[in-house]
Amino acid sequence: MERREFLKLASMAGLGVVAAGSLSRDAAAADPYTGPLWVHIHAGGGWDPTSLCDPKGASSPEEQETRDAMNRSYLAADIEAAGNLRYAPVGNNAAFFQKHYSKLLVINGIDTGTNSHDAGVRNTWSGTLREGKPGFAALVAGVHGGALPMGFISNGGYDTSANVVAVTRVPDTRLLQRLAYPNVIDLGAERQELYHTEATMTRILEARQARHAAKLEQQRLPHVKQAMSTLFTSRVGQNELKQLIQYLPEEFENASLRRQAQLALAAYRAGICVSANLSLGGFDTHGNHDDSHIPRLDQICDGVDFLLTAAEEQGIADRIVIVVGSDFGRTPGYNQGNGKDHWNISSMMLAGAGIPGNRVIGVTDERHNPIALDPATLEPREGGIRIKPGHIHKALRKLAGIAEDPLVQRFPLTEEEDLPLFG
């Protein structure tokens, strides 16, 4: 494969070439990763927890007809529960929560501190409103997978990495196959023909390696040598991609989140992925809220259900952690277009290794305002604290065992207390 062709394909597939000094860890080939897979699922646009895991129904049929109604789609008396989790009786919520409540931790009343999309996404996934800070997915991949070819996969959401790890975006699995098998003329052909014989390909690789070694000898700056090695690995090292291809399903799911999940699970099983961002938009429902928003929530729940089910089937259920969140929440009450606007109070759902299931943390009142909590017991207490994304990220860092890592300590979360969110 010509260098220009490779770079074109790599760019199209999202496999960007790493610039000098951008990686914090050694760029040499890494051992297969065997720790947990960290999956972030982002509901883009600002979801409505009161239609999901923090239900707030209308008090009467008469109130449902007003703009002040918390929700027009159901009454407070109709709210349902699965174990300790309460959920809105809309869409496919019943099937989802009844199936997975024992695995789910719900955190309600999270104050994102903003109604801005950019700031809300940043705070939810990095734990701070400050710009340029890496998200948790980037940090954990930087610590455990800085040398992996697909350590951090992103399909959207917040993927600022602050140069602690390279971000991989892979929208088309056909391109991955092309990159993994550059010597095959037509991957779809029944009888695969090669551009060069295997002996010729071996000689080509040996010549490239010799040239690379000679060029490295001419350099004295470590960061330049690291960048050269990274580029060389990305140009000629297809073994990791071949491993990934072997784990990809024969057919991909039609649903977007399911397809994204299939790729993340395949990359993880190939030992080349630590964390993955999955993303679904369409939640910024300033008009026609109920009819537009609830089906999107169903798709989020379907994605979580698919991940949990697939992880169980593939024998990695004890090695996956799922975090679901959004920019912020939606207003209590409707606007003139039957929509809901931005509201800074939100929720998050978590499941997987180290996450206590069948548990709810955080309380909101009937108008979806957060109630202060005791930082030690997490029970409501006058004069207590509001849960913020920073609290959750401090707990996630400890859960992942990276809180004391020098790379992570470059991005401290000092503004929030340590809360016993995970026990």
Side-chain angles (χ1 to χ4, degrees):
M1 176 185 292
E2 293 293 333
R3 180 176 182 273
R4 285 183 300 175
E5 181 184 356
F6 170 84
L7 292 176
K8 179 181 178 182
L9 283 171
S11 176
M12 292 173 64
L15 301 175
V17 175
V18 182
S22 66
L23 291 180
S24 62
R25 293 297 198 262
D26 184 4
D31 293 331
Y33 174 69
T34 58
L37 171 63
W38 303 85
V39 181
H40 287 179
I41 301 180
H42 176 61
W47 68 356
D48 184 3
T50 69
S51 294
L52 185 66
C53 56
D54 192 9
K56 310 289 179 185
S59 60
S60 66
E62 291 73 25
E63 186 189 47
Q64 283 181 299
E65 303 300 321
T66 69
R67 285 177 54 185
D68 288 336
M70 280 297 304
N71 277 291
R72 291 171 173 166
S73 54
Y74 66 96
L75 298 173
D78 297 328
I79 292 173
E80 299 177 355
N84 296 321
L85 277 57
R86 299 168 71 246
Y87 59 87
V90 298
N92 295 323
N93 285 350
F96 173 75
F97 284 100
Q98 291 294 339
K99 180 178 180 180
H100 295 296
Y101 75 89
S102 63
K103 306 169 187 172
L104 291 171
L105 167 64
V106 172
I107 304 179
N108 290 324
I110 302 170
D111 188 353
T112 65
T114 182
N115 287 336
S116 162
H117 286 295
D118 289 344
V121 173
R122 182 167 61 246
N123 199 7
T124 294
W125 297 115
S126 73
T128 178
L129 287 166
R130 298 177 182 176
E131 295 184 3
K133 304 301 181 182
F136 173 78
L139 281 177
V140 73
V143 172
H144 294 301
L148 295 174
M150 298 175 66
F152 175 28
I153 298 174
S154 180
N155 294 274
Y158 186 75
D159 54 21
T160 297
S161 68
N163 290 335
V164 302
V165 70
V167 184
T168 302
R169 299 178 183 87
V170 189
D172 189 339
T173 56
R174 177 73 176 178
L175 292 176
L176 281 177
Q177 292 176 310
R178 187 73 181 89
L179 288 167
Y181 300 96
N183 195 36
V184 178
I185 296 175
D186 183 1
L187 288 167
E190 183 176 346
R191 180 177 178 274
Q192 294 185 347
E193 298 182 6
L194 305 179
Y195 288 107
H196 307 289
T197 66
E198 292 297 336
T200 299
M201 286 298 294
T202 299
R203 290 196 298 272
I204 292 173
L205 179 57
E206 289 173 348
R208 286 180 173 178
Q209 290 172 333
R211 182 177 183 275
H212 173 62
K215 291 291 185 181
L216 281 180
E217 283 297 318
Q218 299 172 11
Q219 295 294 333
R220 294 294 180 264
L221 296 177
H223 68 280
V224 175
K225 298 178 76 170
Q226 174 181 301
M228 291 174 62
S229 295
T230 301
L231 176 59
F232 180 76
T233 300
S234 66
R235 288 178 63 190
V236 302
Q238 293 95 19
N239 288 339
E240 295 89 352
L241 287 177
K242 290 178 180 177
Q243 294 171 13
L244 170 62
I245 298 300
Q246 293 177 18
Y247 286 105
L248 289 175
E250 293 184 3
E251 293 185 7
F252 272 81
E253 297 281 341
N254 291 325
S256 174
L257 279 181
R258 289 188 172 210
R259 289 197 306 273
Q260 296 172 38
Q262 285 178 302
L263 177 59
L265 290 172
Y268 173 68
R269 293 180 65 200
I272 61 175
C273 178
V274 176
S275 61
N277 280 0
L278 280 55
S279 181
L280 180 72
F283 289 89
D284 198 19
T285 47
H286 292 280
N288 196 28
H289 174 78
D290 291 355
D291 290 342
S292 300
H293 203 96
I294 293 173
R296 304 303 279 180
L297 290 174
D298 284 346
Q299 292 179 52
I300 288 285
C301 291
D302 178 73
V304 177
D305 171 66
F306 179 83
L307 263 172
L308 291 172
T309 302
E312 187 75 34
E313 293 173 348
Q314 296 174 22
I316 57 173
D318 61 340
R319 289 184 283 149
I320 185 171
V321 182
I322 301 170
V323 186
V324 192
S326 189
D327 316 23
F328 34 65
R330 311 304 298 184
T331 50
Y334 294 74
N335 57 31
Q336 292 182 341
N338 294 323
K340 288 188 175 185
D341 300 317
H342 300 176
W343 186 247
N344 61 300
I345 306 304
S346 187
S347 295
M348 296 180 78
M349 299 193 305
L350 300 92
I355 304 297
N358 192 24
R359 187 183 183 199
V360 179
I361 297 174
V363 183
T364 56
D365 64 19
E366 66 277 0
R367 298 301 294 175
H368 202 217
N369 295 297
I371 294 176
L373 302 179
D374 185 305
T377 65
L378 301 180
E379 295 296 327
R381 191 199 77 184
E382 186 175 352
I385 66 167
R386 289 188 177 190
I387 297 178
K388 298 180 180 179
H391 292 121
I392 299 169
H393 280 267
K394 291 187 79 170
L396 282 172
R397 291 180 180 188
K398 288 189 174 182
L399 179 65
I402 64 172
E404 303 302 321
D405 188 277
L407 184 149
V408 177
Q409 291 187 338
R410 288 166 45 194
F411 309 97
L413 297 172
T414 57
E415 299 176 358
E416 271 73 59
E417 304 85 348
D418 287 313
L419 301 183
L421 298 177
F422 307 138

